[in-house]
Structures are given as structure tokens and as C-alpha cells.
Amino acid sequence: MARHLITSAIPYINGIKHLGNLVGSQLPADLFARYQRARGHEVLFLCATDEHGTPAELAAAKAGKPVAEYCAEMHEVQAKIAEGFRLSFDHFGRSSSEQNQKLTQHFAGQLADNGLIREVSETQIYSNADGRFLPDRYIEGTCPNCGFESARGDQCDNCTKQLDPTDLINPYSTISGSTDLEERETKHLYLRQSEMREKLGEWIDSKHDWPVLTTSIAKKWLNDGDGLQDRGITRDLDWGVPVKKGDEDWPGMEGKVFYVWFDAPVEYIACAQEWVDAGKGEDWARWWRTDKGAEDVTYTQFMGKDNVPFHTLSFPVTIFGSGEPWKLVDYIKSFNYLNYDGGQFSTSRGRGVFMDQALEILPADYWRWWLLSHAPESSDSEFTWENFQSSVNKDLADVLGNFVSRVTKFCRSKFSEAVPEGGDYGPEELALIEDISARVSAYQAHMDAMEVRKSAQELRAIWVAGNEYLQTVAPWSTFKEDPAKAAVQIRLALNLIPLYAVLSAPFIPDASASLLESMNAEGTEWPSDVPAALSALQAGHAFTVPEVTFRKITDDERDEWQEKFAGTRD
Ligand SMILES: [Zn+2]
């Protein structure tokens, strides 16, 4: 039994994510976790909400709530939606947890002791009325370029010019509206990433099996221009992990917090501690400390391409730099972007389908199948309603659903709701078993390699093989002349249903569970021996004809949804 530690990039707290976010990390991570569990391996699958930073403060202010309360509520909302999509996290944690606070402070202390943190003096805008330094986004004023009156301190939304807060004419605080602002000197901590450039380069060069998307982004950040830069890890904010050196105060850093990018990946580890503290597990260290049992763990991270620099460079600097035996990632599976119907998903403009809305329209399996079978692996991919409709109707309804329906209904009408007896395998049956055996091996190889689209294609081909077999042997014709031959044909076809259910479970877990229930075959295990699996349901085994497994999407629905999600969400 192998041991797999699997993490998905942690979604930011401020709002509900769209389908592009889902397929970029959480969903393929879930596919892999479900597959490894089905193969009998030990899996710890973790995800969490990323809760610190300015955008959370802004979203809470907009909602009129204290930020801690806002985050607690949004965490519950995201957890519920994740459940709706059947994301099988062993724990869905929170980066604002006490465990993460302590561990982040611990890492900072280790990095400081190892000479990897330096202090830098900067000038920043201070608001006397608010009694605090203001992040760029908390300052607005008139754009010097176009005269727009609500330009933000980092960028003008009207003319898109990148700005510094000091560029703004008549700047004011967006918190209080006060214009009593001044430039003040403030100190921040920087992580000396540049010191680790050589070590990171060697480490990334040793990863010959990583996706090119992952290594190319890492090398670009590592080598382009002046190479990897040191990076600020502290902010003048209220909401975040207070800056401490382990358990001790950090002179000069009072009232400051760690920058969200520094504490967020530490939550991968803290999440395992939360998992134990929640009573779901017993020992987090055997997953995370190579001196405490984690040396045989395979650690795989899933993320969108925008997160690759943090996971290939910044977080490894924290891990390497700690000088402690933390488990380092073994494989980084990264994804390109999913676009929406000729453009991009837009959270601010409500363009595209968001996770909550998707579940209001159709069950999770429909979305899971489309998203995974069109995962943006080698390039960006695009969601269109035509493609979604066609894929659901053909793959799920016509191929898988129809196969199940034809076989079980024919059996009920000509034999009974039990596996029929009689007959022996002929050449067609032996050929089908051989074909399915080869395809299951190919499917496993793709799943092992986390080739999501290829896995979906092979799974579909396995479903198609059953349909083609039925077309060829035509039990409805055979039955008239040779009922025993029809019986063996239907017996084999009925046995394909639990096999399909188990193989398909990582993609479409709900349909899989209901098929197994209909076939009275709950507890069916992964088919390590395909010929044996295809004779598991013996003559006389009772089943019930399942309800419609997948329904078709009509043209009217497709048109209605296309219009509904074109971009009006408030
Ligand atoms: Zn402007």
C-alpha cells in the first residue's frame, strides 16, 4: 500500500468560485484522491480557505461585517459547495486557524535564525484618521492620466494605468474618506529567496517527470531578468498572522502581520494538524515530517498556472530554509485556464457559471464529467453550452446511461430482474473481455500519470466497448433462436455495470454509487482481475432496473442558460 498526500491550491475566501477555479485545482485533485483510495492506497487529501489579506478585509467591509465573522461564514459557504461537488477532502481547513498562526510564526523564526530574512525600510501612506498604514487598494483619488475621480492606489480602473498611491491627485482613505494622509517610513521583513536560487534550480532540474507547464513557469521566475527576487513577507494590516519570531516578539514588527502569500501555503501543513485536532486523524507528522514517518509519502499538489511560482519557489524556500525535515512536494500538476463562451470568466461582472449556480441547474456528476474530460491541461480550454450539452447527452446519456438502461430493461422483460443462467462464452465474449482488460490497464496508466483528459477518453472508450458489443451480438435477436446464448450475453453485459461504476467513480461518484446500489453490488472493489470482475455477478443475482442515470439537456435549456450566465451577477 502506497501513501499519497494530496493538496489542492486553497481558494481565496472572498466569494464563491467559478467553474474555471474548480477545474484548475480542487476537482482534478479530488479525481486523483478518489482513484488512489479506490486502488487501495492510503490517502490524505487536504484543502482549506485562504483567508488573510486586503481583499478579505475589503469584502468584509462591503458586506458590513467584522472580517473574522465574514471569513467564518464564507468558509461554511465554500465547504457546503465543495460537499455538493463531492470533493472528498479529508479536511477542509482555514488558513486563519490557530494551528496555522503558530506554524507560520515558527517558520518565520527558523528562517530568521538561518539568516534568510532581512529588514527593509520603505515609505508607505499612513492615514492619521484611521491610525494605520493603508495598502494601495485602500487609497483612491483622481487619476493623473485620465482625470477619473475614483482611481485606486494601484491602478486606474478607467484607463487601466498602473499607479503608485503617490501619483493620485487629492488622495483619500477608502476606509474613512479622510484626506489626512502622509508618507511615513515603515519596516518590513523580506524573505531572501535570491539566496536559494541555485538550490531551487538544481531541485527543479531534477524533476524530469513534471509537466512542462510547471517547470517552464518555475524557470522563468528563477532566471528571467535579474533572477529570483527577495520578497516582502509582512504587511501593515490588522487581519493576518501577527509577526512573531516563533513564540517571541519581533522588535520593530509590532502591529504587523505576515503577508498572505507567506502564511497560505503553510496551511497545507497546518490543515493536517487541524484534521487531527478535529478528531478525524491521529498523526499529522507521519504525513509531513520525514523524521516521523513521511519518508515513504508521495506528495502531489494541484493548482492553476498562476499559483506555480509560489509552489515551485516561495514555499520551497520556506521548507528548505527552515532547515527542518519537512516533506517536500514530489509532483506538481498545474493547469491552464478554462475560458467561458468566447471570453473569460469574470467574478466582478458575474460572467460564467459559479459553483453554487452550477449545482442549482444540474447534479454534480454532469459538471464533473464535462470539466474533467475538458481539463485545460496542454492549453487553455473553453466552456461553451453547445459543447457541454453535446458532451453530457452523448457521453453520459447515450453511451453510459443507455447501455445500462438497455441491458437491465431487456433482462427484466425477457428473463427477470436477476442475472440469467445458461450459455457459455463464445469468441465475441472473449474478445470483449480482452479488449476491456487492455483498456483498464491503459486507463490506470493515465490515472497514475494524472493525465486527466486521456483518462476520461479511455473511460469513455470502455463504456463504448460495451455498447459496441451489444450492437454486434444483438441479444434481442439471439433470444428468439438461442435463449441460452442471449443469457450469457446479458450476463456479461450486466457484469459490465458494476465494473463501469467502480472505474467511473472518481469522475462521477453519485452515478457510480446509485448504479452499484441498483445492481446490489455495493462494496465492489477495483477490478485488479478484469475477467474475474466480469463474472462476479452470478446467475440468480437479483438487481433492480435503475432510474434514468443521466438525462439529456434540451436545446431550450441550453439557450436559456447561455443567456442567464452571460454576465449580470451582482
Ligand atoms: Zn485613469
Side-chain angles (χ1 to χ4, degrees):
M1 191 165 75
R3 299 175 62 218
H4 286 276
L5 173 62
I6 301 167
T7 59
S8 158
I10 64 176
Y12 199 69
I13 193 70
N14 67 340
I16 291 163
K17 305 298 134 183
H18 56 65
L19 295 181
N21 300 131
L22 178 63
V23 75
S25 57
Q26 290 178 322
L27 190 54
D30 181 68
L31 179 81
F32 190 59
R34 285 177 177 274
Y35 169 71
Q36 294 298 351
R37 288 188 199 113
R39 295 302 305 273
H41 300 309
E42 192 183 358
V43 168
L44 182 63
F45 177 27
L46 302 173
C47 191
T49 38
D50 177 6
E51 302 192 0
H52 291 136
T54 314
E57 279 195 323
L58 287 173
K62 197 178 165 194
K65 288 176 181 166
V67 63
E69 186 184 321
Y70 170 83
C71 288
E73 283 178 18
M74 284 310 299
H75 174 81
E76 283 310 307
V77 169
Q78 292 206 20
K80 195 148 177 278
I81 295 172
E83 244 179 76
F85 272 96
R86 305 296 182 249
L87 301 174
S88 60
F89 308 132
D90 289 294
H91 189 71
F92 188 57
R94 301 183 59 187
S95 71
S96 63
S97 69
E98 200 184 317
Q99 291 89 339
N100 195 40
Q101 179 164 322
K102 285 209 154 50
L103 199 55
T104 300
Q105 291 166 342
H106 168 81
F107 274 115
Q110 289 295 118
L111 291 165
D113 289 348
N114 293 331
L116 288 165
I117 286 181
R118 61 186 173 92
E119 290 184 10
V120 174
S121 285
E122 301 174 337
T123 50
Q124 206 182 329
I125 304 290
Y126 186 86
S127 164
N128 288 304
D130 299 307
R132 61 180 285 178
F133 285 96
L134 298 177
D136 295 355
R137 295 200 219 185
Y138 278 24
I139 306 161
E140 287 186 359
T142 303
C143 174
N145 190 44
C146 72
F148 180 59
E149 286 182 2
S150 307
R152 283 200 321 259
D154 55 348
Q155 189 178 30
C156 172
D157 276 342
N158 189 49
C159 69
T160 75
K161 189 178 167 62
Q162 303 275 317
L163 300 170
D164 275 325
T166 48
D167 297 334
L168 294 170
I169 302 160
N170 303 324
Y172 58 89
S173 158
T174 60
I175 301 171
S176 59
S178 168
T179 55
D180 184 12
L181 309 179
E182 62 182 52
E183 287 184 53
R184 269 199 199 175
E185 191 146 290
T186 180
K187 264 198 304 188
H188 282 294
L189 302 179
Y190 272 64
L191 181 62
R192 299 174 68 188
Q193 301 189 128
S194 56
E195 293 289 305
M196 286 243 171
R197 191 172 154 196
E198 201 175 324
K199 189 174 175 70
L200 290 167
E202 284 168 13
W203 177 61
I204 289 161
D205 282 339
S206 74
K207 301 295 183 185
H208 303 290
D209 60 335
W210 282 13
V212 175
L213 181 64
T214 304
T215 50
S216 63
I217 292 171
K219 285 179 183 172
K220 181 174 154 33
W221 281 72
L222 202 55
N223 302 321
D224 275 14
D226 296 331
L228 185 63
Q229 298 297 300
D230 295 348
R231 198 174 165 115
I233 60 166
T234 54
R235 300 283 268 169
D236 290 295
L237 281 184
D238 293 330
W239 177 237
V241 175
V243 176
K244 283 194 164 196
K245 197 183 277 184
D247 298 331
E248 295 163 27
D249 289 339
W250 204 312
M253 289 292 134
E254 295 81 6
K256 296 175 196 285
V257 299
F258 287 107
Y259 208 152
V260 60
W261 73 260
F262 183 71
D263 79 72
V266 176
E267 169 62 13
Y268 290 140
I269 306 174
C271 189
Q273 299 177 338
E274 292 172 45
W275 166 72
V276 170
D277 294 342
K280 299 178 191 169
E282 293 189 343
D283 186 357
W284 64 268
R286 70 186 275 274
W287 291 99
W288 273 111
R289 293 279 299 216
T290 56
D291 58 335
K292 290 177 180 166
E295 61 282 287
D296 66 341
V297 168
T298 302
Y299 177 23
T300 309
Q301 294 176 341
F302 288 80
M303 70 197 65
K305 60 186 169 188
D306 51 327
N307 272 318
V308 169
F310 297 104
H311 291 76
T312 51
L313 306 169
S314 301
F315 188 44
V317 167
T318 300
I319 297 285
F320 283 133
S322 73
E324 296 173 328
W326 297 99
K327 176 69 193 166
L328 202 60
V329 66
D330 293 300
Y331 192 87
I332 295 182
K333 175 73 179 178
S334 57
F335 290 85
N336 287 286
Y337 294 141
L338 178 70
N339 294 317
Y340 180 80
D341 216 6
Q344 291 180 337
F345 281 87
S346 167
T347 305
S348 58
R349 288 187 297 127
R351 190 169 189 282
V353 187
F354 289 73
M355 287 172 72
D356 55 339
Q357 301 168 324
L359 292 176
E360 286 163 16
I361 299 180
L362 286 169
D365 282 352
Y366 292 67
W367 300 106
R368 290 178 64 107
W369 173 253
W370 188 89
L371 290 166
L372 291 167
S373 61
H374 294 78
E377 285 179 302
S378 54
S379 59
D380 289 354
S381 61
E382 186 178 19
F383 179 92
T384 67
W385 287 99
E386 290 76 15
N387 189 314
F388 179 62
Q389 179 194 28
S390 146
S391 180
V392 163
N393 291 3
K394 285 185 185 151
D395 299 349
L396 297 181
D398 286 345
V399 180
L400 178 61
N402 191 41
F403 173 81
V404 170
S405 167
R406 276 164 97 190
V407 173
T408 51
K409 284 181 179 160
F410 178 78
C411 186
R412 181 175 63 186
S413 78
K414 299 298 180 191
F415 300 99
S416 68
E417 273 186 294
V419 177
E421 63 177 341
D424 294 308
Y425 287 162
E428 287 90 355
E429 287 69 42
L430 295 172
L432 174 68
I433 292 167
E434 199 178 325
D435 182 34
I436 298 272
S437 301
R439 289 192 178 283
V440 169
S441 296
Y443 176 60
Q444 289 172 179
H446 292 320
M447 289 289 265
D448 285 333
M450 284 161 269
E451 295 276 7
V452 179
R453 276 184 182 229
K454 284 181 185 168
S455 301
Q457 281 162 12
E458 197 58 52
L459 180 60
R460 187 181 185 281
I462 293 170
W463 300 339
V464 168
N467 274 295
E468 287 179 349
Y469 167 75
L470 272 193
Q471 268 327 106
T472 307
V473 301
W476 40 90
S477 308
T478 320
F479 184 78
K480 292 165 197 154
E481 288 123 40
D482 189 349
K485 193 165 185 194
V488 73
Q489 290 164 350
I490 286 299
R491 192 161 66 245
L492 180 56
L494 286 169
N495 268 288
L496 278 173
I497 298 172
L499 179 98
Y500 285 177
V502 171
L503 294 177
S504 309
F507 282 88
I508 46 172
D510 286 350
S512 163
S514 80
L515 286 177
L516 287 175
E517 195 187 337
S518 296
M519 298 310 293
N520 277 323
E522 294 102 327
T524 300
E525 290 186 353
W526 192 265
S528 49
D529 178 344
V530 171
L534 287 176
S535 58
L537 303 186
Q538 309 224 322
H541 178 97
F543 66 89
T544 46
V545 171
E547 302 286 314
V548 173
T549 315
F550 290 101
R551 73 169 183 90
K552 290 196 178 184
I553 296 170
T554 67
D555 292 354
D556 284 349
E557 285 176 319
R558 180 200 63 201
D559 295 344
E560 183 198 321
W561 293 336
Q562 184 160 23
E563 188 168 335
K564 182 172 173 186
F565 297 108
T568 49
R569 187 183 174 97
D570 50 37

